[in-house]
Amino acid sequence: EEVIETVLKAQEERETWDFEADGMVVKVNDICNWEKLGETMHHPRWAVAYKFPAKQAVTKLLEVVWQVGRTGALTPVAILEPVEVGGVIVSRASLFNPDLIKQKDIRIGDYVLVERAGETIPYIVAPVKERRTGEEKPITVPKNCPVCGAPIVKELDEAVPRCPNINCPAQLKEHLIYWGKVLDIKGLGESTANLLLKKKLVSSIADLYYLKKKMLELLKLPGWGYKKTENLLKEIEKSKGAPFWKKITALGIRHVGEKTAQLLAERFKSIEELRNATFIELAGIPGIGPVTATSIKNFFTAEQNLEMIKRLEEAGFLFVRTEEEEKEKSLPKPLEGQRVVFTGELEHFTRKEAQRIIEILGGNPTNSVTRKTNFVVVGKNPGSKFQKAQKLGIRMIGEDEFIQMLKEFAKENKEVEEILREKGLLG
Ligand SMILES: [Zn+2]
């Protein structure tokens, strides 16, 4: 019993070993008894081999189905003729992505080597090409999302094909939660998103802005009283007034986070303009490259996304700059195009605040010192960026000089003036 226990334990632990092992040999410790025990035709009686279940097996690949993840990524899954691998019957295996399928030249109808390591999902190691009959068919990426039908797109920087439809049922929950988070809609978290989807009260982000009509159904939700319902509707209504850049962020376009959204809202005054921008135009904006530009163009290829934007705008959720944004835009930008790096602690500003001020002034706060850096603001206990700037001969200023500079700019820029006043830095 002890032997069996030890062997089974080792079988589990082998996943953590640095070497491959396909079994163990159980030996009698007492050498004196070896001769007495003798041997059979094949092996000595004082040693018995125990084989671990094989981690690999060969079986036939019957079909490939494409799963849509919550971020829209399409993953190919192989449907296999059931086979035992490592003591478990396996009938599905991951194929990871189309590039890997191509690289390994895996085809439908192939006999394939399947591996299962530990508790991970089984995957296909390689096809057994010697067993091909010529009937095998290549695996192709579907043209449309298997869940919602939107045309599939590919980002520049990754091998994964994606469904670009923000309202794709496979992705809607994630997007609803993200929408609530970015636009600061209190009460629109995971549990609310789950409930709204389960009760089919929402099948598109735009539906949020038509929920008023479904007041009675909302009131009937478990644990929802009048107050909770009213608060949520109020919060949703309030989000209509969010800045344009936040609304762009909320769309959850790949690679378009807050910073990129701010750049876009600076350049384009409405979603119409953004949508009509060419790839060259987008990729040419400092801070936005071809990867992000592709992603933006991809977003607007989905008919469903355009439809959603239209319905949102009809409900009064407008994708245009707010008055404040327009005002901010018209302020002078003395640091336009300049790259500024901070190192060390500042006495009067957090790193985030300081970077925000640079942005207000049109500059571009960056995290590493390069030849393109215009100047470095050095605080207390500066890091390696200080040495780097010294080596490259980049201009460096201390916090006092930085504040002096801001005071000059504040004469022309109300927003900066306000920040300095709040900090008690203006006379
Ligand atoms: Zn889809």
Side-chain angles (χ1 to χ4, degrees):
E1 266 164 25
E2 257 174 71
V3 169
I4 292 171
E5 198 182 309
T6 307
V7 161
L8 289 179
K9 201 168 154 228
Q11 187 176 310
E12 265 174 44
E13 281 173 358
R14 72 172 155 155
E15 308 300 345
T16 63
W17 296 349
D18 294 336
F19 51 90
E20 283 293 323
D22 64 351
M24 295 175 90
V25 178
V26 182
K27 287 185 184 176
V28 174
N29 270 352
D30 188 356
I31 299 179
C32 304
N33 282 326
W34 283 13
E35 217 167 314
K36 221 192 266 172
L37 284 164
E39 51 198 66
T40 69
M41 293 277 283
H42 311 286
H43 56 82
R45 287 210 177 89
W46 44 266
V48 175
Y50 173 84
K51 276 246 177 222
F52 295 142
K55 287 199 276 185
Q56 293 188 333
V58 171
T59 187
K60 196 171 180 180
L61 197 168
L62 302 174
E63 190 193 345
V64 171
V65 294
W66 294 80
Q67 282 180 342
V68 188
R70 55 201 177 86
T71 59
L74 257 69
T75 357
V77 177
I79 307 297
L80 307 167
E81 223 164 60
V83 65
E84 193 188 319
V85 191
V88 174
I89 301 291
V90 168
S91 58
R92 291 161 81 88
S94 173
L95 284 163
F96 299 112
N97 63 55
D99 282 5
L100 223 73
I101 293 175
K102 222 182 200 171
Q103 212 181 307
K104 293 182 175 176
D105 185 24
I106 302 169
R107 302 177 194 177
I108 293 170
D110 262 339
Y111 280 90
V112 290
L113 187 61
V114 184
E115 182 168 311
R116 190 179 147 268
E119 294 310 306
T120 58
I121 307 161
Y123 63 96
I124 290 178
V125 181
V128 185
K129 290 187 184 168
E130 301 76 43
R131 289 181 72 174
R132 278 194 180 152
T133 62
E135 300 276 299
E136 295 76 15
K137 291 194 193 77
I139 298 165
T140 49
V141 179
K143 289 207 164 51
N144 296 84
C145 170
V147 177
C148 73
I152 293 304
V153 297
K154 225 181 141 186
E155 307 286 319
L156 265 192
D157 64 331
E158 49 177 29
V160 186
R162 281 178 191 280
C163 165
N165 176 11
I166 167 171
N167 295 309
C168 176
Q171 308 169 51
L172 186 53
K173 185 180 141 194
E174 289 299 311
H175 278 297
L176 274 173
I177 297 168
Y178 188 66
W179 188 269
K181 192 178 139 211
V182 172
L183 295 173
D184 197 21
I185 301 175
K186 288 182 193 73
L188 181 58
E190 181 159 7
S191 62
T192 302
N194 271 335
L195 207 56
L196 292 176
L197 289 171
K198 206 175 119 203
K199 299 283 175 187
K200 298 203 165 54
L201 288 165
V202 163
S203 62
S204 155
I205 300 270
D207 289 341
L208 289 175
Y209 297 84
Y210 295 87
L211 272 180
K212 264 177 281 177
K213 291 182 191 156
K214 296 189 174 161
M215 190 84 175
L216 282 177
E217 281 142 288
L218 285 172
L219 285 170
K220 271 188 262 166
L221 293 176
W224 281 52
Y226 181 75
K227 198 159 178 213
K228 186 165 179 181
T229 306
E230 207 199 11
N231 280 344
L232 179 68
L233 292 177
K234 251 190 209 157
E235 284 287 323
I236 291 172
E237 188 65 24
K238 200 181 79 193
S239 69
K240 291 180 182 173
F244 184 33
W245 67 266
K246 277 207 175 186
K247 290 177 175 174
I248 297 175
T249 312
L251 291 173
I253 302 172
R254 267 189 91 67
H255 305 297
V256 180
E258 291 194 348
K259 232 175 165 176
T260 305
Q262 279 170 6
L263 294 173
L264 292 171
E266 278 268 315
R267 176 63 68 99
F268 307 102
K269 67 170 185 289
S270 68
I271 198 122
E272 204 48 38
E273 275 192 20
L274 173 60
R275 186 190 146 198
N276 291 329
T278 63
F279 173 81
I280 303 281
E281 239 178 294
L282 289 167
I285 299 172
I288 295 179
V291 170
T292 308
T294 307
S295 191
I296 295 168
K297 292 310 282 175
N298 279 343
F299 177 82
F300 290 108
T301 60
E303 206 54 54
Q304 290 91 334
N305 290 341
L306 303 180
E307 174 65 25
M308 173 196 71
I309 288 167
K310 198 173 138 230
R311 283 190 62 221
L312 279 169
E313 297 219 292
E314 280 166 4
F317 186 99
L318 303 179
F319 284 93
V320 289
R321 279 189 210 132
T322 57
E323 260 174 54
E324 285 98 83
E325 281 175 293
E326 284 291 357
K327 244 189 257 160
E328 192 183 307
K329 206 180 148 41
S330 63
L331 294 171
K333 301 263 188 284
L335 293 181
E336 183 94 63
Q338 298 216 19
R339 293 177 191 223
V340 183
V341 174
F342 291 90
T343 179
E345 289 161 46
L346 297 177
E347 196 183 324
H348 294 96
F349 308 92
T350 65
R351 179 68 60 88
K352 260 211 152 129
E353 285 168 345
Q355 289 177 331
R356 178 71 196 127
I357 294 172
I358 296 297
E359 279 171 352
I360 293 170
L361 293 165
N364 190 4
T366 55
N367 282 323
S368 53
V369 176
T370 69
R371 274 173 212 292
K372 287 183 180 165
T373 305
N374 291 80
F375 63 92
V376 178
V377 181
V378 183
K380 243 187 271 166
N381 307 320
S384 61
K385 293 178 209 167
F386 176 77
Q387 279 102 30
K388 182 118 190 251
Q390 224 169 12
K391 216 171 113 196
L392 293 173
I394 309 282
R395 184 182 157 212
M396 288 190 269
I397 62 173
E399 183 167 1
D400 287 344
E401 201 179 330
F402 178 57
I403 292 170
Q404 278 313 315
M405 183 174 90
L406 295 184
K407 278 183 181 168
E408 269 313 301
F409 293 148
K411 289 177 189 163
E412 303 262 301
N413 191 312
K414 276 225 156 58
E415 220 180 326
V416 174
E417 189 194 330
E418 212 165 282
I419 294 172
L420 294 185
R421 177 153 295 131
E422 263 174 37
K423 298 264 171 200
L425 292 169
L426 282 184

